[in-house]
Amino acid sequence: MRFQGTKNYIATEDLKLAVDAALNLEKPLLVKGEPGTGKTMLAVEVAKSLGLRLIEWHIKSTTKASQGLYEYDAVSRLRDSQLGNEKVKDIKNYIKKGKLWDAFDSDEQVVLLVDEVDKADIEFPNDLLQELDRMEFYCYELDKTIKAKKRPLVIITSNNEKDLPDAFLRRCFFHFIAFPDRAVLESIINVHIPKIKKSLLKKSLDMFFDVRKVPGLKKKPTTSELIDWLKLIVSDDLAQELIAKKDKELLPPLYGALLKNEQDVELLQRLAFMTRRES
């Protein structure tokens, strides 16, 4: 199997090679990059492209590694035993399978997305070392080892919010999704907004890259925010006129789709004011 991208996902050659390498090496693919660069969507589109089922495990700050394996509901079993419920005789009734168990138990190969692994506690990646390396884990309640029937393609995403342990990194194939250059961005936009005019696209991208180049921005606008912004621009004649007339003013129309905090808005407003005063 080889990943060639899809009509909805423009993948660079190095990203395609990274997916293929993870498949061939049978290692998890660790994908890092700015938020909004398509890390999560990569797993979705890889599954579509290869015709595999996708299992998604979205990590939160409270997520524990054991939840990906299984959870044993001892409280419900105690309550049922007090009520004389017959189901209490089979402990399987109180074990909830996690996402890894689901992936291991599949008769066909699946794509397992572990999304935003850096949100969890620092020990979270270490707690999954053996399970991801050996593709098996032990269930104490059933006195049974759960082994993967077909080794899943594991795609792990990280926003670089914290460093990951070296032992975990050694077990992964790593790829960093760099921010797309102008040509790739145009291809991505043409997929999502095929009817956008070339002149509008050019001027909008000029403005977008000008904003990203501003020093001191707390959060630079990303690909997903650019697409949202352009969708608004396409549906707003006044915004299109403002973009056509833009000279050196840095504050774009409908900037709320691009800028996500008041510090960045104030920074661009000051720069725009200074530019107007100088001119």
Side-chain angles (χ1 to χ4, degrees):
M1 292 187 292
R2 294 182 64 84
F3 175 60
Q4 297 297 329
T6 68
K7 65 178 183 179
N8 295 320
Y9 192 92
I10 306 298
T12 57
E13 287 303 318
D14 57 344
L15 180 55
K16 295 176 187 177
L17 288 173
V19 174
D20 293 339
L23 279 166
N24 291 328
L25 293 173
E26 295 187 332
K27 285 191 172 186
L29 173 61
L30 173 61
V31 184
K32 289 187 178 183
E34 289 183 40
T37 49
K39 300 184 297 296
T40 302
M41 283 304 299
L42 172 65
V44 176
E45 297 302 326
V46 166
K48 286 182 183 178
S49 174
L50 302 181
L52 304 178
R53 180 165 70 96
L54 174 66
I55 297 174
E56 301 179 65
W57 187 15
H58 298 285
I59 307 303
K60 301 178 182 179
S61 59
T62 56
T63 303
K64 303 297 181 185
S66 59
Q67 293 172 323
L69 307 179
Y70 67 93
E71 293 181 272
Y72 171 53
D73 191 352
V75 174
S76 292
R77 193 181 187 205
L78 175 61
R79 183 186 64 239
D80 287 346
S81 66
Q82 292 171 339
L83 297 174
N85 196 320
E86 284 295 314
K87 64 183 288 190
V88 76
K89 295 179 180 178
D90 190 349
I91 197 171
K92 290 181 181 178
N93 293 323
Y94 303 94
I95 291 179
K96 180 183 177 182
K97 297 180 180 179
K99 300 294 185 179
L100 264 73
W101 191 330
D102 188 10
F104 289 1
D105 209 31
S106 175
D107 293 324
E108 303 294 334
Q109 187 179 30
V110 300
V111 174
L112 172 63
L113 168 64
V114 183
D115 196 28
E116 298 188 326
V117 68
D118 51 333
K119 276 189 175 180
D121 184 85
I122 189 62
E123 291 303 320
F124 178 89
N126 281 333
D127 292 342
L128 288 177
L129 289 180
Q130 178 173 308
E131 288 76 11
L132 292 178
D133 196 26
R134 299 183 183 178
M135 286 289 149
E136 65 179 43
F137 64 90
Y138 183 71
C139 178
Y140 293 92
E141 287 76 12
L142 298 180
D143 189 21
K144 177 182 177 182
T145 297
I146 310 299
K147 295 184 178 182
K149 296 178 182 178
K150 295 282 186 179
R151 191 179 188 98
L153 170 58
V154 182
I155 297 180
I156 304 169
T157 71
S158 169
N159 287 328
N160 256 346
E161 292 181 5
K162 63 181 72 164
D163 292 333
L164 298 174
D166 289 343
F168 180 78
L169 295 174
R170 282 199 303 272
R171 288 165 169 81
C172 299
F173 186 89
F174 172 75
H175 181 76
F176 181 82
I177 298 183
F179 191 80
D181 60 25
R182 191 179 185 109
V184 174
L185 267 184
E186 288 181 0
S187 299
I188 294 171
I189 292 164
N190 285 327
V191 167
H192 293 275
I193 317 173
K195 295 182 179 180
I196 189 170
K197 296 177 182 177
K198 289 185 178 180
S199 59
L200 176 61
L201 176 58
K202 179 184 180 304
K203 291 181 179 180
S204 299
L205 282 178
D206 288 343
M207 190 175 298
F208 173 76
F209 279 111
D210 283 344
V211 171
R212 276 188 60 89
K213 282 188 249 181
V214 171
L217 278 184
K218 187 175 181 180
K219 182 188 180 306
K220 294 182 179 180
T222 61
T223 310
S224 62
E225 288 153 351
L226 170 62
I227 292 170
D228 288 343
W229 181 59
L230 286 174
K231 286 178 179 178
L232 291 173
I233 297 295
V234 167
S235 63
D236 191 317
D237 293 337
L238 179 58
Q240 293 178 37
E241 290 178 13
L242 290 173
I243 286 178
K245 293 176 182 177
K246 282 286 177 181
D247 186 11
K248 295 182 180 179
E249 190 174 327
L250 291 173
L251 199 63
L254 300 169
Y255 59 79
L258 293 176
L259 306 175
K260 300 301 180 180
N261 61 72
E262 64 277 12
Q263 295 97 317
D264 289 345
V265 173
E266 290 174 1
L267 174 61
L268 262 69
Q269 285 174 336
R270 288 198 302 271
L271 290 172
F273 173 75
M274 292 171 63
T275 302
R276 286 195 300 268
R277 189 172 64 175
E278 289 173 0
S279 60

